[in-house]
Amino acid sequence: WITGIRMAGFYTYQFSVLSAFIFTEYVIAYWEKDKKNNKIEHVVSGIIIVIGIILLLAAQHTGHLFIVHPNGSYETGAAQFLGYLFVAIFMVMDLVISFVHRKDLNYRQQAAFGCYILFPLISILVRKWIPEVYLVALASSLSMMVMLIVEIFEHQRKFRLQEEKNDQLKVDLMLGQIQPHFLFNVLYVIQALCKDNPEAAHAVRDFSMFLRHNMDSLSVNTPIPFKEELDHTQLYVSLQQLRFGTKLNVVYDLACIDFSLPTLTLQPLVENAIRYGVRKSATGEGVVKVSTKEFPDHYEVSVQDDGPGFVEGKTKNDGVSHVGINNVRERLKAVSGGSLIFNSAAGKGTKVTMILPKQD
């Protein structure tokens, strides 16, 4: 019976520290999506929990944590403060990490962190006034429970918003990729070819394949092989070259093709390079270069033009719709965890690079 009391008391201390450690790991992992180099936090958290468990074990073995007398009475030892010292350390870590990201917290999360501070503080004050009442472990557990409940509701809210955003992206994708002016221009060229050129049939075939891929892409939510996206882009280029002829030159420097990416990400970048790079040049002609590279942890797909370029930060009021590019950025992030990087300078052209992390 006395052994059971000892075990229950000891595991109460251990559970408090372990639960605080688990919650700290959760807080660290929560911000991993915005912070690549946070291994230090994991290491510090791991060192603290190891030290805590060792000290609690040693204190319990020597009787410095607490003592249960033969008559069943319970007496705290000189080292009983270890039970909430390490909980406090983990809570401080949580608050520091959350303070760094405070601008990203909404009012519900801020209120939850307020409770995270308030509950343990009240329990410490109660213990100071009434030493027989030990509520630190309970208060810490309740504060972490409040935090988890708030985060669960927050994740549900973000999930609903993402679902709505995905639906809107599908509509924007369709409107952004099947553009009326492009359809009319291609149909006009095909009409002219039908009079005296047998290439009209090939043009109609390419155009049909292009439209079919655009339509099919509306229901694709997973990455597709790069070769498939490249074929679709080349269909688009061939149709544009019917219109612009030798004024448009697209070259390919493909160091690797054995990887996947979200559908309809390369073609809009090439379209953007043609419309605002090549066609906006002084002569109305130019070169678009598509290249791929492989790195240890990611792939890069670049689309570069030799057009007029632009000055960074001065494109918001240029009268150009950037829905297609924004769609590419959103799909890269949502489907592959990737990103889009612009590099441009006035008179020196524009280079847009897709960063595609390798999947484990």
Side-chain angles (χ1 to χ4, degrees):
W1 180 68
I2 293 177
T3 301
I5 294 177
R6 289 196 186 103
M7 292 179 63
F10 176 68
Y11 285 120
T12 297
Y13 284 103
Q14 290 282 19
F15 176 77
S16 299
V17 178
L18 285 172
S19 60
F21 165 72
I22 292 171
F23 187 79
T24 299
E25 286 294 302
Y26 167 78
V27 172
I28 296 172
Y30 182 83
W31 297 112
E32 276 188 341
K33 58 182 179 294
D34 299 321
K35 188 178 179 183
K36 295 181 179 179
N37 301 318
N38 63 348
K39 293 182 179 179
I40 294 177
E41 288 93 331
H42 286 296
V43 172
V44 171
S45 177
I47 291 174
I48 292 172
I49 188 62
V50 170
I51 294 175
I53 290 175
I54 292 174
L55 289 179
L56 286 173
L57 285 170
Q60 173 63 8
H61 181 70
T62 59
H64 288 86
L65 190 61
F66 65 86
I67 299 172
V68 180
H69 296 289
N71 62 359
S73 62
Y74 180 92
E75 180 183 350
T76 58
Q80 60 89 24
F81 69 92
L82 292 174
Y84 51 82
L85 172 63
F86 288 97
V87 173
I89 292 174
F90 282 122
M91 293 181 72
V92 170
M93 280 190 64
D94 299 339
L95 291 173
V96 169
I97 294 171
S98 300
F99 180 79
V100 172
H101 297 278
R102 63 190 181 282
K103 294 182 179 179
D104 300 319
L105 299 176
N106 58 34
Y107 72 93
R108 292 188 186 88
Q109 293 171 313
Q110 292 173 356
F113 273 105
C115 294
Y116 193 60
I117 301 172
L118 186 61
F119 288 174
L121 179 61
I122 292 175
S123 69
I124 292 173
L125 294 175
V126 169
R127 182 166 178 79
K128 183 177 180 180
W129 292 329
I130 312 175
E132 295 80 10
V133 179
Y134 181 76
L135 298 175
V136 175
L138 176 61
S140 300
S141 300
L142 285 175
S143 64
M144 286 184 281
M145 186 181 299
V146 170
M147 287 290 298
L148 285 173
I149 291 174
V150 169
E151 289 305 320
I152 288 172
F153 280 109
E154 183 65 16
H155 279 297
Q156 290 177 340
R157 184 185 70 84
K158 288 182 178 180
F159 179 79
R160 289 194 298 268
L161 291 176
Q162 187 61 47
E163 287 291 303
E164 295 173 1
K165 191 174 183 179
N166 288 342
D167 292 339
Q168 185 60 45
L169 280 175
K170 287 184 178 181
V171 175
D172 292 343
L173 175 61
M174 180 175 64
L175 295 177
Q177 300 307 318
I178 307 175
Q179 301 177 37
H181 72 273
F182 173 61
L183 300 183
F184 292 141
N185 286 335
V186 173
L187 288 174
Y188 178 82
V189 173
I190 292 175
Q191 181 182 8
L193 288 173
C194 287
K195 296 179 179 179
D196 53 10
N197 195 322
E199 292 182 1
H202 295 291
V204 172
R205 180 201 62 191
D206 290 347
F207 190 41
S208 298
M209 293 174 63
F210 176 83
L211 290 179
R212 178 180 295 275
H213 182 89
N214 273 26
M215 292 296 188
D216 292 343
S217 296
L218 296 176
S219 60
V220 176
N221 297 318
T222 57
I224 64 171
F226 172 76
K227 183 62 168 61
E228 184 176 332
E229 179 69 9
L230 178 65
D231 290 342
H232 178 66
T233 302
Q234 290 174 330
L235 278 177
Y236 173 81
V237 170
S238 67
L239 290 169
Q240 289 286 45
Q241 286 176 331
L242 289 176
R243 179 184 176 195
F244 301 123
T246 57
K247 291 184 177 180
L248 172 60
N249 185 19
V250 180
V251 297
Y252 302 90
D253 179 18
L254 308 178
C256 57
I257 60 172
D258 189 18
F259 62 93
S260 298
L261 75 173
T263 184
L264 286 180
T265 48
L266 176 60
Q267 183 265 321
L269 298 185
V270 173
E271 177 181 357
N272 196 70
I274 294 173
R275 292 180 63 187
Y276 306 122
V278 175
R279 299 304 298 164
K280 295 292 184 180
S281 65
T283 60
E285 57 184 285
V287 178
V288 175
K289 181 179 180 181
V290 179
S291 59
T292 62
K293 294 180 180 179
E294 181 177 3
F295 294 88
D297 60 345
H298 70 278
Y299 295 97
E300 288 187 2
V301 181
S302 300
V303 177
Q304 185 172 5
D305 66 69
D306 57 357
F310 59 88
V311 178
E312 297 283 354
K314 295 185 178 182
T315 60
K316 292 184 178 180
N317 300 316
D318 56 3
V320 174
S321 173
H322 299 285
V323 171
I325 298 300
N326 289 333
N327 279 340
V328 171
R329 181 180 287 107
E330 291 291 339
R331 289 199 302 280
L332 279 173
K333 181 178 179 180
V335 178
S336 298
S339 58
L340 200 63
I341 299 176
F342 272 85
N343 288 292
S344 187
K348 297 183 179 180
T350 301
K351 182 178 181 180
V352 186
T353 303
M354 288 188 283
I355 307 297
L356 299 158
K358 290 185 177 180
Q359 304 299 319
D360 296 331

